Amino acid sequence: MTATIALVDDDKNILTSVSIALQTEGFVTRIYTDPEAALKALTDNPADLGVFDIKMPQMDGLELLRRLREKSQMPVIFLTSKADELDEALGLAMGADDYISKPFSQRLLIARIRAILRRAEISRTPEAADEPPSDPIVRGRLEMDPPRHRVKWDGKDVTLTVTEFLILETLAARPGVVKNRNQLMDAAYQDDVYVDDRTIDSHIKRLRRKFREVDPDFNAIDTLYGAGYRFSEE
């Protein structure tokens, strides 16, 4: 099935050029210059993935994502300026799957879109991607069901994005084994898509925050400075 990409940006030139590039690659696009209109449309009928600009008048991309997350876990990529490091961190903390700094390569954007859609499809229906169903992972109070993209801690549901799920799965697969940032990048970002260390660190911080929302004492993901991260089975 052809994937539908929602583009939200107040810059019509960017919307037009990105839309044409995506359509050339076989995607269906829905474009919005008004974030309020985008919110209503995507709440009623989510796309397969959204690409949101952060800096927009009336409602910025961060607020759009925050309000959308109340109803949908649709994957989202943020477009940011090089100076928006704080906004990038906030976006990841709020549930964005990735970000790309302007000016950006359309080839890079398309590669990241394909990678996120592929991971989302594998998480939903592994058989459709010619992947064998994964066995459930149980590590102490952690339960992961990869085929259904479900996570529980102490029996309580924890909602994760595809990227967060893959990072946690990589850590939980071998408790006590340290995974460096490159290994976590390889697990979460395929197709030679470049991300920097800060992106992985932000995902780890967001993972901890989400688990601490259901268990304030959660401390199963350890940081080993200069080495990486590990999952500690209790």
Side-chain angles (χ1 to χ4, degrees), residues 91-175:
L92 290 173
M94 292 168 59
D97 291 83
D98 213 334
Y99 63 85
I100 295 179
S101 297
K102 295 180 179 179
F104 59 90
S105 158
Q106 291 184 353
R107 180 171 174 271
L108 173 62
L109 175 61
I110 291 169
R112 292 198 183 184
I113 287 173
R114 290 192 186 282
I116 291 173
L117 289 175
R118 185 177 301 113
R119 294 197 301 272
E121 180 62 23
I122 290 173
S123 294
R124 288 194 301 267
T125 55
E127 298 85 353
D130 296 325
E131 293 286 340
S134 301
D135 293 331
I137 297 173
V138 179
R139 301 286 185 262
R141 291 185 282 169
L142 174 70
E143 300 174 45
M144 300 187 71
D145 185 348
R148 295 173 177 80
H149 192 73
R150 292 177 181 168
V151 180
K152 291 180 181 291
W153 181 262
D154 265 350
K156 300 175 183 176
D157 289 324
V158 181
T159 301
L160 303 181
T161 65
V162 173
T163 302
E164 293 166 353
F165 190 97
L166 290 173
I167 291 173
L168 179 62
E169 184 180 16
T170 301
L171 293 171
R174 300 186 66 189

Side-chain angles (χ1 to χ4, degrees), residues 149-217:
H149 192 73
R150 292 177 181 168
V151 180
K152 291 180 181 291
W153 181 262
D154 265 350
K156 300 175 183 176
D157 289 324
V158 181
T159 301
L160 303 181
T161 65
V162 173
T163 302
E164 293 166 353
F165 190 97
L166 290 173
I167 291 173
L168 179 62
E169 184 180 16
T170 301
L171 293 171
R174 300 186 66 189
V177 175
V178 178
K179 296 290 185 177
N180 62 39
R181 289 177 179 84
N182 287 335
Q183 290 171 315
L184 295 177
M185 288 181 204
D186 289 343
Y189 293 90
Q190 300 171 3
D191 298 333
D192 295 324
V193 176
Y194 172 77
V195 294
D196 59 25
D197 290 355
R198 185 185 54 196
T199 301
I200 296 299
D201 293 343
S202 295
H203 284 307
I204 292 292
K205 290 178 182 177
R206 188 172 47 163
L207 271 170
R208 287 171 173 151
R209 179 180 59 80
K210 288 187 173 183
F211 276 93
R212 285 169 183 161
E213 288 175 356
V214 300
D215 177 9
D217 296 323

Side-chain angles (χ1 to χ4, degrees), residues 17 20 23 27 36 44 55 66 107 115 133 141 166 219 226:
S17 63
I20 291 173
Q23 290 173 17
F27 294 104
E36 288 281 2
D44 294 340
K55 298 297 186 183
R66 185 190 69 78
R107 180 171 174 271
R141 291 185 282 169
L166 290 173
N219 61 357

Side-chain angles (χ1 to χ4, degrees), residues 215-226:
D215 177 9
D217 296 323
F218 174 83
N219 61 357
I221 299 176
D222 297 330
T223 300
L224 283 83
Y225 293 99

Side-chain angles (χ1 to χ4, degrees), residues 8-21:
V8 187
D9 199 314
D10 60 317
D11 188 327
K12 293 182 179 180
N13 291 329
I14 289 179
L15 283 178
T16 299
S17 63
V18 172
S19 180
I20 291 173

